[in-house]
Amino acid sequence: MGYSKLDLKGKSAVVVGGTSGIGRAIALGLAEAGADVAPTSRRLEQVEATAREIEALGRRSLRATSDVTDRASLQHVLDAAVKTFGKVDILVNSAGRTKRAPTIDFSEKDWNDILETNLTGILRACQIFGRHMAERRYGRIINIASIGSFLGMLEVAAYSASKAAVASLTQSLAIEWAPRGICVNAIAPGVFRTALNEKLLDGTPRGNEWLMRTPMKRFGQVEELAGAAVYLASDAASYTTGSVLAVDGGILASGVNQ
């Protein structure tokens, strides 16, 4: 018999950036735990593919695209989710972007584009879905931060600055919205190997350095983030808010490993 407070049956979730990589793994994990899940991103074909996977697990889903730089598109997803599910209990903010380049040459446009998606995009989603949750006096918001929220990483200053701000925004919203029944937490993933970054990690000096600094001596698999998300989305986390939960193979604990 499982621990019933981790059961998400009867709960409904929206995962922004939920059709690839980390977001998709979390969307499927929430569905496996019992939730109805709306995965949303900019590309309709990816939304449809992930929605089909969720429905194959016996859960309800919907097909609505969104762009975190467009407030109206996020409002449309909320409206569609309320129409389909009746409510939104859980919001996961997983949309993100990055670019590697020396900071001294980094253009303001690239800097602003990254902060617009990674930070301001999360604020928009939190405002829109948070208002709905506050009206119901119940909500779980999970933002995707990064070990870059806490560690410096070479030539990704804009990404790391945005993720440090996500951790801070998570804490600010947690204290503001606790009286409204909303728990706001974040997950800080370590280094997870995906189709987007495998060429940057496999056999490269950067990849080898990450492995040296990771006590588990391997990269994460995106499915390994689902458990943290299920916990933070569940009633088992009813007294957890303002936390940034690292799922990183031990990197943030790492000092001397041999």
Side-chain angles (χ1 to χ4, degrees), residues 162-187:
S162 73
K163 292 299 188 176
V166 168
S168 179
L169 176 63
T170 297
Q171 293 176 322
S172 295
L173 294 180
I175 63 170
E176 284 190 45
W177 293 356
R180 303 182 185 189
I182 304 171
C183 296
V184 187
N185 295 287
I187 296 172

Side-chain angles (χ1 to χ4, degrees), residues 38-49:
T40 182
S41 67
R42 292 179 296 172
R43 296 175 179 85
L44 181 59
E45 66 274 13
Q46 291 187 350
V47 172
E48 290 177 336

Side-chain angles (χ1 to χ4, degrees), residues 141-157:
I141 295 175
I142 304 167
N143 298 323
I144 302 302
S146 168
I147 53 171
S149 302
F150 309 103
L151 297 176
M153 298 189 291
L154 186 70
E155 296 182 342
V156 286

Side-chain angles (χ1 to χ4, degrees), residues 3 26 37 47 60 62 69 96 112 116 123 132-133 135 144 165 183-184 194 197 199-200 202 225 227 233 250:
Y3 181 51
I26 289 175
V37 183
V47 172
R60 291 183 294 170
L62 62 87
T69 67
N112 290 334
E116 177 72 10
L123 174 66
H132 167 75
M133 292 173 176
E135 290 170 354
I144 302 302
C183 296
V184 187
T194 67
N197 67 14
K199 291 181 180 178
L200 299 175
D202 293 348
L225 289 162

Side-chain angles (χ1 to χ4, degrees), residues 21-29 32 144 187-194 214 216-231 245-250:
I22 287 170
R24 175 180 168 275
I26 289 175
L28 294 175
E32 288 172 357
I144 302 302
I187 296 172
V191 185
F192 285 77
R193 187 178 179 276
T194 67
T214 304
M216 288 190 179
K217 301 302 180 190
R218 65 176 178 85
F219 302 127
Q221 302 297 315
V222 289
E223 295 77 16
E224 293 179 294
L225 289 162
V230 169
Y231 163 66
L245 175 57
V247 183
D248 68 350

Side-chain angles (χ1 to χ4, degrees), residues 97-100 106 109-120 158-160 162:
R97 63 188 297 178
T98 188
K99 180 178 181 179
R100 180 179 176 179
F106 210 78
K109 181 183 186 306
D110 286 336
W111 174 276
N112 290 334
D113 286 349
I114 288 171
L115 265 70
E116 177 72 10
T117 294
N118 293 8
L119 177 61
T120 312
Y159 175 82
S160 295
S162 73

